[in-house]
Amino acid sequence: MRDTSGLTRESAAERHAISADLIAVLVAAPNGNPVVLTVKDGSALPSGPFELIHRSLQSGLRNWVEQQTGHPVGYIEQLYTFADRDRGSDEPAGRVISISYLGLTREEPSHRTPPGSWRNWYEFFPWEDHRAGAPEIIRDIIVPRLRQWADEAEQQDTRQNRLRRAAAAFGFDDRHWNEEMVLQRYELLYEAGLVDEAVRAAGAKIAATVPGKAMSGDHRRILATGIGRLRTKIKYRPVVFELMQPSFTLLQLQRAVEALAGVAVHKQNFRRLIEQQDLVEETGEMSADTGGRPAKLFRFRHAVLDDRPVAGTK
Amino acid sequence: MRDTSGLTRESAAERHAISADLIAVLVAAPNGNPVVLTVKDGSALPSGPFELIHRSLQSGLRNWVEQQTGHPVGYIEQLYTFADRDRGSDEPAGRVISISYLGLTREEPSHRTPPGSWRNWYEFFPWEDHRAGAPEIIRDIIVPRLRQWADEAEQQDTRQNRLRRAAAAFGFDDRHWNEEMVLQRYELLYEAGLVDEAVRAAGAKIAATVPGKAMSGDHRRILATGIGRLRTKIKYRPVVFELMQPSFTLLQLQRAVEALAGVAVHKQNFRRLIEQQDLVEETGEMSADTGGRPAKLFRFRHAVLDDRPVAGTK
DNA sequence: CCTTATTATGCTCTAGTTGAGTATAATAAG
DNA sequence: CTTATTATACTCAACTAGAGCATAATAAGG
């Protein structure tokens, strides 16, 4: 390290050929439906410039989202920052740094977003919904295509490596499905040329891609990052409650968790876990519209946040 | 959302009044000593501008660190991006976005860094080292000061809240010490005005702060973020091995984990965990210089990375 | 009224994991 | 040959997680 400050001065022009964008993965789960806020007919995530008036990145995003959706954003978390070249053709000389955030909110009829803005996120990742067992698309389309991709490799160890990675990601050959590996799965499909974004990047014309709506830029990758992060997070932080109404039944809570995690959970064990962790307390009221035996209504015990380092909903 | 693109165009000048810096938390653990790379006599983390020639943020940082330290960086992970106002007085009109990274490397005598660059990170956070039990500074200095700070609050529930947060963070009043809450502890001390950075920010003169070396800017906060992230990460990803020599004894591995986590671990259980996870394999050789019975030497089984979603060293 | 479907809720059983400890082996130093 | 130090094998109790059984309370359809 010659210059221990690590700083080398450039011309102001060069240093300033940079602009910053904020990108939001805004999630809600009305009636156990996992949805994400999109723009342009579901082909992009909402994004906007980071402006000088914003106090900080997070507060900029928060204001901006609350202004546009009319809903308070409960939980907000930074996802990832990237600055690859060739992003945006209207900035030939400069460079855009994109800072993405994950936010949770309650989507209600009173919201101010145009219809169609909220999309079920499994439109973009049909292979991620295992609530009713592994989707057929995996066995019928994805696995065969990935095997083929592995076979195409010249070297034997590349073949083996591809196959191992594919099996680990998609849970075949005796592997278990790990719902958190959302990003790894998307990136594997991208690498194998099986998503439209990869075809687009390669400039190819013929595309035998896997089902699942594409997005512009790398927005689908960002969404995958957000879903993966959320699936990890709900296990050790009580963030699901940001998606719930003030009072809810345990089944509604379970449905929300299942919507995010994309897997079904054991009902009795779920209740045991939630109750023994003191995450909720009874409101004293009952819900009549369950279809069966009426359920107790619960509310989130906000006090736990101050208490011990509270766990989530494993 | 009126403008569904989310983009509002500003003048080019306004959009470009931004520059980006990369900040590195570069960690090593020679002989079970947790060290971090610093500059300016330990008062800052190394940082450098993000330049247009860099292919991406991560590759920019990687090149830059390997060039300056002479060591390959194994694991690298983005930490956090922030852009608060009033950072750097030489950029009156513009704004700096700082993107921080956590990197792991092996520090060896052959490195190219000037002496004194690598600092034991407990110089900055003396309250974080619980390897030989809770340090006295917590009981003698921190807890009394925090109690006093809680008492100073006007309202009763603010007092209670402060006390609860302090107890949860520092593990008093029957609470357990949670080694991962590095950032929360630093931020609590900051809020209570007990670290030099807080005194500096408030422009106060008299400072009855807690021991622990301060850093410039918010570098100490970034370091706290990095340590916290690392302490979380070693539990579910085998990242410690990035800090180890190619072959090592299980005690050396344990010492590295303890250095990072800041707590002592049960030797027999540690071995059981490592071995039953197939994280390592015997080299067939023995280490003579253990001081007692010779120990088997092990190496990391790189194959596990392709295998299942491998766990770390709980 | 009675049957069936549906949801809620309480309880048990087993396997696995975790935290802590005991016991013994192999070396060096004095 | 004793002591200190480290390595390594094994045990035990407490707790956790996954799965299933049993029963309760409601609505809808005959």
Side-chain angles (χ1 to χ4, degrees), chain A residues 251 267-268 271 290 292-296:
Chain A
L251 187 59
K267 193 172 182 173
Q268 297 95 313
R271 305 171 106 272
T290 52
R293 172 174 169 178
K296 288 179 188 165

Side-chain angles (χ1 to χ4, degrees), chain B residues 7 9 14 17-18 21-22 26 42 68 85-86 88 117 147 167 170 194 239:
Chain B
L7 277 168
R9 285 290 156 207
E14 195 179 343
I18 281 177
D21 263 359
L22 298 171
L26 192 63
Q68 294 188 333
R85 268 201 279 250
D86 308 319
S117 298
R147 284 194 194 281
F170 284 92
L194 298 176
V239 287

Side-chain angles (χ1 to χ4, degrees), chain A residues 5-27:
Chain A
S5 86
L7 277 166
T8 56
R9 285 290 157 208
E10 308 158 60
S11 73
E14 194 180 346
R15 269 179 78 77
H16 286 160
I18 282 177
S19 65
D21 263 359
L22 298 170
I23 304 186
V25 175
L26 192 63
V27 172

Side-chain angles (χ1 to χ4, degrees), chain A residues 19 28 40 44 55 60 81 89 94 99 113-114 117 141 149 154 169 209 215 222 285 297 300:
Chain A
S19 65
K40 295 184 182 163
R55 201 161 31 84
T81 300
S89 52
I99 303 147
T113 56
S117 298
I141 303 179
W149 169 67
E154 305 275 303
T209 57
M215 296 182 109
I222 298 172
E285 286 166 22
L297 284 170
F300 178 50

Side-chain angles (χ1 to χ4, degrees), chain B residues 134-151:
Chain B
E136 290 167 10
I137 163 185
I138 291 188
R139 190 199 40 187
D140 296 345
I141 303 179
I142 294 181
V143 173
R145 298 272 178 86
L146 286 173
R147 284 194 194 281
Q148 189 187 335
W149 169 67
D151 279 342

